[in-house]
């Protein structure tokens, strides 16, 4: 299969040669513009000195918080891609299902007062339900929508994935309505706590800490367990693994389950941070996390983690650091612009991502 | 009855018929070799046995039981394990993890540990490389990993696709000694080789393949002495 793909990728060589100069000019202009914005903006911002250390710290903490959510989601993309070479376009929506499940439990805990009385128990319950929900839906998606198309060549699997994405969104819209629901906002989440002399909302610390724990657990599962090892083996060479007796379907289900679990956690955290739940909420973080996975080198687990945090930091710190300095008003509204610019730049200039190249070299 | 029977299989890549009715029988405890020029269909035959490709017609049986429609991992579970062409070890996994993958379908921890020790006795060079990432090993060592990995599945029949490919003469010698040793421990072997001279030399029985067909069969020694074979494959 890889041979087929390689020969296909080899095809457009000639035509791109013909357009070499034209494309080249545009790409260099793009590079230059980004360098000017980044360097010029940074110098401008620092000269103006409008932001105090505490504000920078806030931005960094928020970047790490949202970055850990991206990282958790990106892991699902990268693992599924590694094993099946499939972009699971429904993954953002699988995150949404976890957020929704968590929301219903959180609301009932809020009404009963449990959310305030025993936050840890409540949070454990919310996370557990979200994990179960997202995992179940991820595994069902694979079984019903992806497996029948696994050996179909061409665009069918991709289109199927997009179809699943619409299906999940519209199902949740149909069941729970199109309106935005507000997530409970208990005092203990908002309370500021002290980190290195700066005050940080506790929810940020909770999200970052638990996300890191989840990722460590995932990493140990992938590196130390038999199924995790099989996952890595299948990612490298599916046929060879099958010929050794590895049940590839089992490994695929396992992969979707792990990705689903991470997505469930991410959904709850996303809702913790933005305090909103609605049927379309998975779309933007999903696309961004996919970008983060590409940024880190799709197929690479550490790459997805790094890519997620990096994207979170850039989109949080970027507006103040790059845009304020060149005199753009209200730079925060351009947060998504920065994120997507970064992703497009990665796709153009380094499509194999941060850790992708090393992987490709090793494989050869 | 032979342990492995390939009965008139036809295998296609889309519309191209790569195997045009191939029949091979491998008796228990034998070494059988399949030789032939580039593109004859040797790898295709082994991939069909392992269930990676499915014959459009014909049947493959193990101990009389049809392997048709079984997924590759179940075929491996029945004891038909392959050392694929180009070795295809898991380059990013450690040597130890590669061996662990060979034993994937087994659950008998103690026996697995014992088998690992036997592998390290068979390939002492792998001992100090156990924790090393397999992709960093030399070609000869990678062949050892591929063979050991397959043996960890406790095969009844081992399919080997050009194990000597790309190796130094010393390593080639070692590979053939290993094949003989494995066979003497009771493992049946179906060996695909370009090195027809050495393969026929250790084989009980040989098949010569050309353009998707078996054109000649006979005892290994007889084929070695056959004029046609000598002209075509032994120079
Ligand atoms: N993936 C594929 N798609 C299409 N045709 C293929 C594919 N793999 C092999 N073939 C064709 O099938 C025929 C048999 O190939 P096969 O790899 O089985 O030969 P082989 O005897 O193993 O050769 P070698 O000694 O080079 O390994 C060849 O003509 C080859 O071009
Ligand atoms: Mg071959």
């Amino acid at each position: 299969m890889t041979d087929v793909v390689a020969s296909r990728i080899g095809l457009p060589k000639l035509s791109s040669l013909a357009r070499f100069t034209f494309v080249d000019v545009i790409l260099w202009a793009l590079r230059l513009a980004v360098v000017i914005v980044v360097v010029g903006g940074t110098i401008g911002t620092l000269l103006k000195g409008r932001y105090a250390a505490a504000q920078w710290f806030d931005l960094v903490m928020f970047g790490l918080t949202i970055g850990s959510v991206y990282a958790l989601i990106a892991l699902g993309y990268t693992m599924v891609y590694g094993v099946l070479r499939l972009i699971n376009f429904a993954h953002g929506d699988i995150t949404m299902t976890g957020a929704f499940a968590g929301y219903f439990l959180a609301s009932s805990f809020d009404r009963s007062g449990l959310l305030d009385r025993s936050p840890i128990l409540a949070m454990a319950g919310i996370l557990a339900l979200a994990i179960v929900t997202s995992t179940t839906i991820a595994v069902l998606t694979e079984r019903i929508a992806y497996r029948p198309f696994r050996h179909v060549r061409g665009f069918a699997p991709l289109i199927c994935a997009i179809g699943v994405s619409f299906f999940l969104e519209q199902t949740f819209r149909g069941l729970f309505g199109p309106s935005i629901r507000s997530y409970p906002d208990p005092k203990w989440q908002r309370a500021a706590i002290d980190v290195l002399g700066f005050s940080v909302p506790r929810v940020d610390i909770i999200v970052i800490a638990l996300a890191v724990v989840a990722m460590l657990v995932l990493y140990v599962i992938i590196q130390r367990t038999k199924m995790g090892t099989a996952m890595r083996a299948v990612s490298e060479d599916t046929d060879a693994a099958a010929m050794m007796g590895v049940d590839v379907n089992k490994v695929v289900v396992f992969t979707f389950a792990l990705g689903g679990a991470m997505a469930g956690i991410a959904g709850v955290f996303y809702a913790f941070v933005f305090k909103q739940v609605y049927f379309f909420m998975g779309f933007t973080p999903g696309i961004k996390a996919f970008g983060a996975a590409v940024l880190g080198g799709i197929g690479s687990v550490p790459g997805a983690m790094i890519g997620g945090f990096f994207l979170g930091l850039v989109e949080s710190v970027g507006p103040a650091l790059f845009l304020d300095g060149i005199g753009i008003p209200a730079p925060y509204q351009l947060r998504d612009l920065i994120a997507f610019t970064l992703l497009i730049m990665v796709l153009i200039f380094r499509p194999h991502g941060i850790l992708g190249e090393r992987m490709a070299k090793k494989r050869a | 009855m032979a342990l492995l029977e390939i009965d008139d299989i036809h295998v296609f890549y889309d519309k191209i018929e790569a195997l045009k009715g191939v029949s091979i029988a491998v008796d228990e405890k034998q070494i059988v070799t399949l030789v032939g020029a580039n593109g004859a269909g040797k790898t295709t035959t082994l991939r069909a046995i392992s269930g990676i490709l499915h014959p459009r017609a014909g049947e493959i049986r193990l101990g009389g039981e049809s392997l048709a429609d079984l997924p590759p991992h179940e075929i491996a579970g029945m004891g038909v394990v392959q050392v694929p062409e180009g070795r295809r070890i898991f380059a990013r996994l450690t040597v130890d993890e590669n061996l662990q993958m060979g034993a994937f379908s087994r659950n008998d921890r103690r026996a697995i540990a014992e088998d690992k020790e036997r592998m390290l006795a068979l390939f002492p060079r792998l001992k100090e490389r156990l924790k090393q990432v397999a992709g960093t090993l030399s070609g000869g060592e990678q062949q050892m990993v591929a063979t050991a990995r397959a043996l960890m599945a406790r095969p009844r029949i081992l399919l080997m696709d050009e194990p000597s490919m790309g190796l130094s003469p010393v390593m080639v010698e070692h590979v053939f000694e290993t094949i003989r040793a494995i066979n003497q421990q009771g493992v049946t072997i179906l060996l695909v080789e370009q090195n027809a001279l050495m393969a026929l030399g250790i084989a009980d029985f040989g098949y010569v393949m050309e353009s998707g067909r078996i054109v000649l069969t006979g005892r290994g020694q007889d084929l070695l002495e056959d004029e046609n074979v000598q002209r075509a494959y032994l120079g």
Side-chain angles (χ1 to χ4, degrees), chain B residues 47-174:
Chain B
R47 286 169 68 79
I49 299 170
S50 280
I52 303 288
L53 300 170
H54 300 285
R56 204 169 283 180
E59 203 176 39
I60 301 171
R61 287 180 297 270
L62 181 77
E65 234 179 291
S66 171
L67 300 182
D69 303 324
L70 288 185
H73 72 272
E74 280 181 31
I75 292 176
M78 289 173 71
V80 182
V81 183
Q82 181 165 168
V83 182
E85 185 172 24
R87 315 187 226 294
R88 293 172 73 167
I89 56 164
F90 305 118
R92 279 180 276 154
L93 271 53
T94 64
V95 171
D96 202 12
E97 287 169 337
N98 268 278
L99 299 188
Q100 193 190 336
M101 283 300 100
F104 183 86
S105 52
R106 299 169 54 187
N107 286 311
D108 41 347
R109 257 163 204 265
R110 185 168 320 147
I112 291 174
E114 280 169 16
D115 281 359
K116 196 166 105 182
E117 287 312 312
R118 287 202 303 132
M119 288 310 122
L120 297 181
L122 189 62
F123 305 110
R125 268 164 78 174
L126 295 184
K127 203 173 256 167
E128 68 250 40
R129 305 242 188 280
L130 265 183
K131 295 293 166 207
Q132 207 167 313
V133 174
T136 60
L137 269 53
S138 73
E141 290 165 343
Q142 292 194 9
Q143 183 58 47
M144 295 177 195
V145 174
T147 309
R149 177 180 70 172
L151 289 174
M152 288 298 290
R154 289 221 171 156
R156 293 173 71 186
I157 175 162
L158 188 65
L159 316 174
M160 303 185 83
D161 198 346
E162 304 205 24
S164 73
M165 188 169 62
L167 299 182
S168 67
V170 180
M171 282 313 303
V172 172
E173 201 66 50
H174 179 260

Side-chain angles (χ1 to χ4, degrees), chain A residues 103 118 121 180 215 319:
Chain A
Y103 159 79
S118 34
L121 187 68
I180 293 177
M215 285 186 245

Side-chain angles (χ1 to χ4, degrees), chain A residues 101-112 115 122 126 183-184 272:
Chain A
Y103 159 79
F104 286 119
L105 198 60
S107 305
S108 89
F109 284 167
D110 194 29
R111 282 192 297 275
S112 72
L115 195 58
I126 292 166
Y183 209 82
F272 273 7

